Amino acid sequence: MRISDVGIMELSGLEFHAYHGCFEKERAEGNLFVVDFRAEYHFKTAAKSDRLDDTVDYADVYKVIREEMDKPSNLMENVAWRIVKGIAARFPEFIRFQIRISKSNPPVGGACQWSRVTVSYPHEPKAGKILDRKW
């Protein structure tokens, strides 16, 4: 039996009360943001050893995301870009990954449940069939 040594790591539904937005009310009151993370990585060593030291710790990925979500920005694109840069620098184990940030009830002048920004790394158009699937 042949098992692929490339797996997917996901952190889904990470909730943050953050202060991102261009309007004074958004910066003063904050809003609910939900972050989803999905990455491809080689997991064979960890699968065989069963040791945390041989893989990427979810908590370390969460920490990078939390640190960037704690820094107010005008645009979600800026936050997503900072998260991608931080994860790419800290975790070279990831072959490719995506970050999706969703903002609850964005101020668009009407009913809107979520606005979302998704950023991929690497950003090559053909980067990864696994990540092309819907969340």
Side-chain angles (χ1 to χ4, degrees):
M1 172 172 32
R2 177 154 162 69
I3 300 172
S4 173
D5 69 340
V6 175
I8 298 172
M9 174 186 288
E10 293 181 283
L11 294 174
S12 181
L14 306 175
E15 293 187 8
F16 301 92
H17 186 85
Y19 299 87
H20 309 304
C22 293
F23 299 110
E24 186 176 320
K25 183 177 179 179
E26 294 177 290
R27 298 300 283 263
E29 296 177 10
N31 200 347
L32 170 65
F33 291 82
V34 176
V35 177
D36 297 300
F37 170 79
R38 181 180 177 93
E40 288 181 59
Y41 70 112
H42 294 281
F43 73 96
K44 189 175 190 176
T45 301
K48 289 182 174 184
S49 73
D50 198 26
R51 291 172 14 99
L52 184 58
D53 291 342
D54 291 332
T55 192
V56 175
D57 188 342
Y58 295 144
D60 292 338
V61 174
Y62 177 87
K63 183 178 177 186
V64 171
I65 295 169
R66 187 194 71 230
E67 287 171 357
E68 296 304 331
M69 288 301 294
D70 285 346
K71 299 174 190 172
S73 294
N74 289 326
L75 302 176
M76 290 192 309
E77 291 89 341
N78 178 262
V79 182
W81 184 256
R82 291 192 331 257
I83 291 170
V84 167
K85 283 176 39 179
I87 289 174
R90 177 108 187 257
F91 306 104
E93 300 91 330
F94 292 137
I95 301 165
R96 49 190 143 264
F97 61 88
Q98 286 184 333
I99 289 289
R100 181 174 72 175
I101 301 176
S102 303
K103 181 179 192 175
S104 178
N105 299 309
V108 296
C112 180
Q113 191 173 20
W114 298 99
S115 61
R116 293 190 168 106
V117 170
T118 302
V119 178
S120 300
Y121 179 89
H123 61 280
E124 301 161 18
K126 295 180 182 179
K129 294 176 184 173
I130 294 173
L131 292 178
D132 291 338
R133 294 190 322 216
K134 300 251 184 220
W135 290 87

